[in-house]
Amino acid sequence: MRQDDGVSKALAVIAGCGLSLAVLAAGCSSGTGGGGSSPAATSSAGGPGGSRAGAASPALAWRSCAQLAPRLQCASLKVPLNYAKPGGRKITLALTRLPATAPPGQRQGALLVNPGGPGGSGLTMAAYAGQSLDPQVAAQYDIIGFDTRGTGSSVPALHCDPGYFSRARPDYIPADKAEERAWISRARGYAQDCQRKYGWLLPYMTTRDIARDLDSIRVALGQSKISYLAFSYGTYIGQVYATMFPGRVRRMVLDSIVDPAGVWYRDNLQQDYAFQGRVEAFFSWTARYDATYRLGATAAAVSRSWHAARQQLEDRPVAGSAGPLIGPDEFDDTFLAGGYNNQYWPSLAAALASYLHQGGTSQLRRLYQQIGKQDENEFAVYNAVECSDVSWPRSWARWDTDARKIYKTAPYEAWDNTWFNAACAFWPVRGPQQPMKIGAAGLPGILMLQGTGDGATPYAGAQAARRALPTARMVVVTGGGNHGQSLASPPNSCVNGYLNRYLATGALPAGTGAVSARCPANPLPVP
């Protein structure tokens, strides 16, 4: 299951700019495509984070992206494909920068930001973070967004099978062994397509490689240390970077935190149980507003309505606008967004009501295009990273047994998530048997932010990460089910207060236990 969905959707439109993620990525791609007519920008690094305040950045030629977001700049950086052979083949990373505006003596160097993934484009993150942080804090940093290797505007961008999601798919929930075999064949075929097109790249698509890329960005920025703010899968990049390069971390914020011990097969199984809780919360919320939606006055009744709609879409798929038919899988993909962020609940409930009561499909089709439609580049990178980071079970019997066991008590994502990851059973790169051991001496204080009801990165796993990084302090949002607690809309002033104080001064919550501080969750939406 993708680790970043809620955060990426929140970045789809930059507040105040009206910029879509795709538009910004495309624009920055054209802005980074070679040519050296723009002079290298002067580094604005200063204060504790900068190593050479006022010196020219050695490897980055920043170009204006002001037409995409105010003051945004773009650049590209060539990095080694294989860091064991740094003089060999190179690939290209796409970067963005929102320059610091504070007086030079108040600047704090570079703040790298990442929305998650694997495969989530991070180019919009610089502008989004700059607009969402306290303005005085944002002004102190050069905020750096980037597309990880293989992603978005980086070169090459992985596309193993561009039509993978546009063709008709079998129902995620197999009715019999024949349907299960059809999905297995799709998964095996996707792994083979990736090997055929990118066999030279796949061995170097691990999180360790991405962490080394972060350090290459640090060097190119002329920084002795970097600060880092990340969500979801980005928190695992941060954990790996902190383990590999502890002396190069200045400040680090990890929001909605990956369990490093469960990477990645076990983490995905735990998501299934957590997302079951999220869909049940949605059903309960919808039942509370039965007068509005007429989908049932109890969670069980709303569940029956939801399943009835799903069955109708299996029997009679809805024609999509400029896309595939909307059947049960597309229905699931759309409603999954509500598991990441409850701000989607009113729109999802309204679309479900319109479909069931009036046969209306326009709302459902629109939501699918906005929040349900899959990105094949993101899917390719997701597989390339997660399948290679660590060894996955190669016996399909193991996958089948686990999926059927989970389906009995947590059916919502049991099979959907299985098929999203199934290519890892056939992936050409075999990762190490055990996940990387996280932790290192000499790390500064790290700020962790976590909701107790998060479906994508469950609370227990976040606590495991907290134990692996003893210098961390965790702020827990009690009852918070959204994926991404800071910089959210609507904002959580308690969470953002801890975030801004830490980035401004390095101040952490005083508590030293498993939970250092607590914040209340934002109220649930109202229709």
PDB file of all heavy atoms in Angstrom, residues 43 61 82 89 115-116 126 141 152 166 177-178 257 311 327 378 404 428 435-436 459 464 471 495 522:
ATOM      1  N   SER A  43      24.478  30.656  -2.732  1.00  0.00           N
ATOM      2  CA  SER A  43      23.912  29.945  -1.593  1.00  0.00           C
ATOM      3  C   SER A  43      23.483  30.940  -0.542  1.00  0.00           C
ATOM      4  O   SER A  43      24.203  31.871  -0.211  1.00  0.00           O
ATOM      5  CB  SER A  43      24.947  28.988  -0.990  1.00  0.00           C
ATOM      6  OG  SER A  43      24.463  28.457   0.214  1.00  0.00           O
ATOM      7  N   ALA A  61      22.482  24.782 -10.861  1.00  0.00           N
ATOM      8  CA  ALA A  61      22.145  26.008 -11.596  1.00  0.00           C
ATOM      9  C   ALA A  61      20.643  26.219 -11.459  1.00  0.00           C
ATOM     10  O   ALA A  61      19.848  25.578 -12.153  1.00  0.00           O
ATOM     11  CB  ALA A  61      22.549  25.881 -13.062  1.00  0.00           C
ATOM     12  N   ASN A  82      25.337   3.998  -9.188  1.00  0.00           N
ATOM     13  CA  ASN A  82      25.869   3.046  -8.219  1.00  0.00           C
ATOM     14  C   ASN A  82      26.935   3.777  -7.409  1.00  0.00           C
ATOM     15  O   ASN A  82      28.000   4.108  -7.939  1.00  0.00           O
ATOM     16  CB  ASN A  82      26.451   1.831  -8.945  1.00  0.00           C
ATOM     17  CG  ASN A  82      27.086   0.837  -8.001  1.00  0.00           C
ATOM     18  OD1 ASN A  82      27.039   0.991  -6.775  1.00  0.00           O
ATOM     19  ND2 ASN A  82      27.697  -0.200  -8.556  1.00  0.00           N
ATOM     20  N   ARG A  89      28.108   5.448 -14.447  1.00  0.00           N
ATOM     21  CA  ARG A  89      26.893   5.999 -15.035  1.00  0.00           C
ATOM     22  C   ARG A  89      26.173   6.916 -14.047  1.00  0.00           C
ATOM     23  O   ARG A  89      26.134   6.661 -12.845  1.00  0.00           O
ATOM     24  CB  ARG A  89      25.968   4.856 -15.460  1.00  0.00           C
ATOM     25  CG  ARG A  89      24.746   5.281 -16.256  1.00  0.00           C
ATOM     26  CD  ARG A  89      24.042   4.057 -16.819  1.00  0.00           C
ATOM     27  NE  ARG A  89      22.919   4.439 -17.668  1.00  0.00           N
ATOM     28  CZ  ARG A  89      22.206   3.581 -18.411  1.00  0.00           C
ATOM     29  NH1 ARG A  89      22.527   2.285 -18.412  1.00  0.00           N
ATOM     30  NH2 ARG A  89      21.206   3.993 -19.158  1.00  0.00           N
ATOM     31  N   PRO A 115       7.333  14.228   0.704  1.00  0.00           N
ATOM     32  CA  PRO A 115       5.959  13.868   1.028  1.00  0.00           C
ATOM     33  C   PRO A 115       5.718  12.386   1.253  1.00  0.00           C
ATOM     34  O   PRO A 115       4.642  11.994   1.703  1.00  0.00           O
ATOM     35  CB  PRO A 115       5.190  14.333  -0.208  1.00  0.00           C
ATOM     36  CG  PRO A 115       6.165  14.085  -1.321  1.00  0.00           C
ATOM     37  CD  PRO A 115       7.526  14.405  -0.743  1.00  0.00           C
ATOM     38  N   GLY A 116       6.688  11.534   0.899  1.00  0.00           N
ATOM     39  CA  GLY A 116       6.489  10.100   1.081  1.00  0.00           C
ATOM     40  C   GLY A 116       6.531   9.339  -0.221  1.00  0.00           C
ATOM     41  O   GLY A 116       7.121   9.747  -1.203  1.00  0.00           O
ATOM     42  N   ALA A 126       8.344  22.124  -1.503  1.00  0.00           N
ATOM     43  CA  ALA A 126       9.044  23.338  -1.087  1.00  0.00           C
ATOM     44  C   ALA A 126       8.059  24.495  -0.960  1.00  0.00           C
ATOM     45  O   ALA A 126       8.053  25.218   0.041  1.00  0.00           O
ATOM     46  CB  ALA A 126      10.160  23.664  -2.069  1.00  0.00           C
ATOM     47  N   TYR A 141      14.940  29.352   6.230  1.00  0.00           N
ATOM     48  CA  TYR A 141      15.474  28.171   5.545  1.00  0.00           C
ATOM     49  C   TYR A 141      15.396  28.312   4.034  1.00  0.00           C
ATOM     50  O   TYR A 141      14.444  28.892   3.492  1.00  0.00           O
ATOM     51  CB  TYR A 141      14.687  26.922   5.943  1.00  0.00           C
ATOM     52  CG  TYR A 141      14.931  26.425   7.343  1.00  0.00           C
ATOM     53  CD1 TYR A 141      14.110  26.827   8.402  1.00  0.00           C
ATOM     54  CD2 TYR A 141      15.976  25.541   7.613  1.00  0.00           C
ATOM     55  CE1 TYR A 141      14.323  26.352   9.689  1.00  0.00           C
ATOM     56  CE2 TYR A 141      16.193  25.057   8.899  1.00  0.00           C
ATOM     57  CZ  TYR A 141      15.366  25.476   9.930  1.00  0.00           C
ATOM     58  OH  TYR A 141      15.581  25.006  11.206  1.00  0.00           O
ATOM     59  N   GLY A 152       8.832  11.005 -11.130  1.00  0.00           N
ATOM     60  CA  GLY A 152       8.369  12.284 -11.641  1.00  0.00           C
ATOM     61  C   GLY A 152       9.280  12.897 -12.677  1.00  0.00           C
ATOM     62  O   GLY A 152       9.445  12.384 -13.791  1.00  0.00           O
ATOM     63  N   SER A 166      -5.030   1.471 -16.836  1.00  0.00           N
ATOM     64  CA  SER A 166      -6.087   1.869 -17.765  1.00  0.00           C
ATOM     65  C   SER A 166      -6.825   0.670 -18.343  1.00  0.00           C
ATOM     66  O   SER A 166      -7.925   0.823 -18.874  1.00  0.00           O
ATOM     67  CB  SER A 166      -5.507   2.725 -18.894  1.00  0.00           C
ATOM     68  OG  SER A 166      -4.558   1.997 -19.650  1.00  0.00           O
ATOM     69  N   LYS A 177     -10.174 -19.394  -7.585  1.00  0.00           N
ATOM     70  CA  LYS A 177      -8.740 -19.532  -7.862  1.00  0.00           C
ATOM     71  C   LYS A 177      -8.371 -18.993  -9.241  1.00  0.00           C
ATOM     72  O   LYS A 177      -7.257 -18.511  -9.451  1.00  0.00           O
ATOM     73  CB  LYS A 177      -8.332 -21.003  -7.742  1.00  0.00           C
ATOM     74  CG  LYS A 177      -8.251 -21.499  -6.303  1.00  0.00           C
ATOM     75  CD  LYS A 177      -7.115 -20.806  -5.550  1.00  0.00           C
ATOM     76  CE  LYS A 177      -6.941 -21.359  -4.151  1.00  0.00           C
ATOM     77  NZ  LYS A 177      -5.831 -20.681  -3.418  1.00  0.00           N
ATOM     78  N   ALA A 178      -9.290 -19.050 -10.168  1.00  0.00           N
ATOM     79  CA  ALA A 178      -9.002 -18.544 -11.509  1.00  0.00           C
ATOM     80  C   ALA A 178      -8.763 -17.036 -11.468  1.00  0.00           C
ATOM     81  O   ALA A 178      -7.827 -16.521 -12.109  1.00  0.00           O
ATOM     82  CB  ALA A 178     -10.151 -18.881 -12.462  1.00  0.00           C
ATOM     83  N   ILE A 257       4.912   7.820  10.932  1.00  0.00           N
ATOM     84  CA  ILE A 257       6.238   7.208  10.919  1.00  0.00           C
ATOM     85  C   ILE A 257       6.184   5.718  10.579  1.00  0.00           C
ATOM     86  O   ILE A 257       5.419   4.958  11.176  1.00  0.00           O
ATOM     87  CB  ILE A 257       6.903   7.421  12.291  1.00  0.00           C
ATOM     88  CG1 ILE A 257       6.873   8.925  12.641  1.00  0.00           C
ATOM     89  CG2 ILE A 257       8.334   6.912  12.303  1.00  0.00           C
ATOM     90  CD1 ILE A 257       6.775   9.198  14.124  1.00  0.00           C
ATOM     91  N   GLN A 311     -20.958  -3.888  -5.355  1.00  0.00           N
ATOM     92  CA  GLN A 311     -21.455  -5.007  -6.148  1.00  0.00           C
ATOM     93  C   GLN A 311     -22.096  -4.515  -7.445  1.00  0.00           C
ATOM     94  O   GLN A 311     -21.917  -5.125  -8.510  1.00  0.00           O
ATOM     95  CB  GLN A 311     -22.471  -5.811  -5.338  1.00  0.00           C
ATOM     96  CG  GLN A 311     -22.977  -7.065  -6.044  1.00  0.00           C
ATOM     97  CD  GLN A 311     -21.856  -8.048  -6.341  1.00  0.00           C
ATOM     98  OE1 GLN A 311     -21.093  -8.414  -5.450  1.00  0.00           O
ATOM     99  NE2 GLN A 311     -21.753  -8.476  -7.612  1.00  0.00           N
ATOM    100  N   GLY A 327     -15.033   0.294 -11.932  1.00  0.00           N
ATOM    101  CA  GLY A 327     -15.606  -0.920 -11.375  1.00  0.00           C
ATOM    102  C   GLY A 327     -15.281  -1.010  -9.898  1.00  0.00           C
ATOM    103  O   GLY A 327     -14.962  -0.007  -9.249  1.00  0.00           O
ATOM    104  N   GLU A 378       4.434   6.290 -10.060  1.00  0.00           N
ATOM    105  CA  GLU A 378       4.525   6.102  -8.611  1.00  0.00           C
ATOM    106  C   GLU A 378       4.486   4.617  -8.260  1.00  0.00           C
ATOM    107  O   GLU A 378       5.238   4.146  -7.394  1.00  0.00           O
ATOM    108  CB  GLU A 378       3.383   6.836  -7.919  1.00  0.00           C
ATOM    109  CG  GLU A 378       3.447   6.792  -6.400  1.00  0.00           C
ATOM    110  CD  GLU A 378       2.390   7.651  -5.744  1.00  0.00           C
ATOM    111  OE1 GLU A 378       1.799   8.513  -6.420  1.00  0.00           O
ATOM    112  OE2 GLU A 378       2.151   7.455  -4.545  1.00  0.00           O
ATOM    113  N   ARG A 404      -6.008 -14.397   3.163  1.00  0.00           N
ATOM    114  CA  ARG A 404      -7.268 -15.013   3.577  1.00  0.00           C
ATOM    115  C   ARG A 404      -7.475 -14.905   5.085  1.00  0.00           C
ATOM    116  O   ARG A 404      -8.607 -14.698   5.552  1.00  0.00           O
ATOM    117  CB  ARG A 404      -7.306 -16.471   3.121  1.00  0.00           C
ATOM    118  CG  ARG A 404      -7.379 -16.608   1.612  1.00  0.00           C
ATOM    119  CD  ARG A 404      -7.423 -18.040   1.121  1.00  0.00           C
ATOM    120  NE  ARG A 404      -7.395 -18.078  -0.339  1.00  0.00           N
ATOM    121  CZ  ARG A 404      -8.460 -17.875  -1.115  1.00  0.00           C
ATOM    122  NH1 ARG A 404      -9.635 -17.666  -0.560  1.00  0.00           N
ATOM    123  NH2 ARG A 404      -8.341 -17.917  -2.431  1.00  0.00           N
ATOM    124  N   PRO A 428      12.813  -9.088  -9.721  1.00  0.00           N
ATOM    125  CA  PRO A 428      14.128  -9.610 -10.135  1.00  0.00           C
ATOM    126  C   PRO A 428      15.250  -9.310  -9.148  1.00  0.00           C
ATOM    127  O   PRO A 428      16.275  -9.999  -9.172  1.00  0.00           O
ATOM    128  CB  PRO A 428      14.378  -8.913 -11.474  1.00  0.00           C
ATOM    129  CG  PRO A 428      13.509  -7.698 -11.451  1.00  0.00           C
ATOM    130  CD  PRO A 428      12.304  -8.080 -10.666  1.00  0.00           C
ATOM    131  N   PRO A 435      15.518  -6.303   7.517  1.00  0.00           N
ATOM    132  CA  PRO A 435      15.556  -4.852   7.312  1.00  0.00           C
ATOM    133  C   PRO A 435      16.803  -4.236   7.937  1.00  0.00           C
ATOM    134  O   PRO A 435      17.416  -4.805   8.851  1.00  0.00           O
ATOM    135  CB  PRO A 435      14.300  -4.358   8.040  1.00  0.00           C
ATOM    136  CG  PRO A 435      13.417  -5.550   8.167  1.00  0.00           C
ATOM    137  CD  PRO A 435      14.331  -6.728   8.281  1.00  0.00           C
ATOM    138  N   MET A 436      17.173  -3.096   7.450  1.00  0.00           N
ATOM    139  CA  MET A 436      18.299  -2.360   7.991  1.00  0.00           C
ATOM    140  C   MET A 436      18.035  -2.020   9.457  1.00  0.00           C
ATOM    141  O   MET A 436      16.936  -1.593   9.822  1.00  0.00           O
ATOM    142  CB  MET A 436      18.491  -1.068   7.193  1.00  0.00           C
ATOM    143  CG  MET A 436      19.641  -0.209   7.648  1.00  0.00           C
ATOM    144  SD  MET A 436      19.775   1.261   6.582  1.00  0.00           S
ATOM    145  CE  MET A 436      21.221   2.033   7.276  1.00  0.00           C
ATOM    146  N   TYR A 459       0.179   3.234  14.702  1.00  0.00           N
ATOM    147  CA  TYR A 459       0.785   3.817  15.893  1.00  0.00           C
ATOM    148  C   TYR A 459       1.852   2.910  16.517  1.00  0.00           C
ATOM    149  O   TYR A 459       2.918   3.384  16.921  1.00  0.00           O
ATOM    150  CB  TYR A 459      -0.317   4.129  16.910  1.00  0.00           C
ATOM    151  CG  TYR A 459       0.169   4.732  18.198  1.00  0.00           C
ATOM    152  CD1 TYR A 459       0.733   6.004  18.230  1.00  0.00           C
ATOM    153  CD2 TYR A 459       0.056   4.035  19.403  1.00  0.00           C
ATOM    154  CE1 TYR A 459       1.169   6.562  19.416  1.00  0.00           C
ATOM    155  CE2 TYR A 459       0.495   4.589  20.590  1.00  0.00           C
ATOM    156  CZ  TYR A 459       1.050   5.853  20.589  1.00  0.00           C
ATOM    157  OH  TYR A 459       1.487   6.399  21.771  1.00  0.00           O
ATOM    158  N   ALA A 464       7.785   1.813  17.600  1.00  0.00           N
ATOM    159  CA  ALA A 464       8.995   1.011  17.363  1.00  0.00           C
ATOM    160  C   ALA A 464      10.111   1.894  16.796  1.00  0.00           C
ATOM    161  O   ALA A 464      11.282   1.751  17.164  1.00  0.00           O
ATOM    162  CB  ALA A 464       8.684  -0.146  16.410  1.00  0.00           C
ATOM    163  N   THR A 471      17.086   9.524  20.738  1.00  0.00           N
ATOM    164  CA  THR A 471      17.133  10.971  20.871  1.00  0.00           C
ATOM    165  C   THR A 471      15.834  11.631  20.396  1.00  0.00           C
ATOM    166  O   THR A 471      15.695  12.858  20.512  1.00  0.00           O
ATOM    167  CB  THR A 471      18.303  11.572  20.077  1.00  0.00           C
ATOM    168  OG1 THR A 471      18.096  11.348  18.670  1.00  0.00           O
ATOM    169  CG2 THR A 471      19.636  10.959  20.507  1.00  0.00           C
ATOM    170  N   VAL A 495      -0.080  20.790  17.036  1.00  0.00           N
ATOM    171  CA  VAL A 495       0.997  20.090  16.328  1.00  0.00           C
ATOM    172  C   VAL A 495       1.925  21.088  15.651  1.00  0.00           C
ATOM    173  O   VAL A 495       3.160  20.998  15.760  1.00  0.00           O
ATOM    174  CB  VAL A 495       0.409  19.117  15.286  1.00  0.00           C
ATOM    175  CG1 VAL A 495       1.520  18.519  14.419  1.00  0.00           C
ATOM    176  CG2 VAL A 495      -0.364  18.003  15.980  1.00  0.00           C
ATOM    177  N   ASN A 522      -8.050  17.263  15.382  1.00  0.00           N
ATOM    178  CA  ASN A 522      -9.026  18.214  14.856  1.00  0.00           C
ATOM    179  C   ASN A 522     -10.412  17.583  14.853  1.00  0.00           C
ATOM    180  O   ASN A 522     -10.552  16.361  14.719  1.00  0.00           O
ATOM    181  CB  ASN A 522      -8.664  18.630  13.434  1.00  0.00           C
ATOM    182  CG  ASN A 522      -7.550  19.647  13.386  1.00  0.00           C
ATOM    183  OD1 ASN A 522      -7.294  20.358  14.361  1.00  0.00           O
ATOM    184  ND2 ASN A 522      -6.882  19.745  12.241  1.00  0.00           N
TER     185      ASN A 522
END
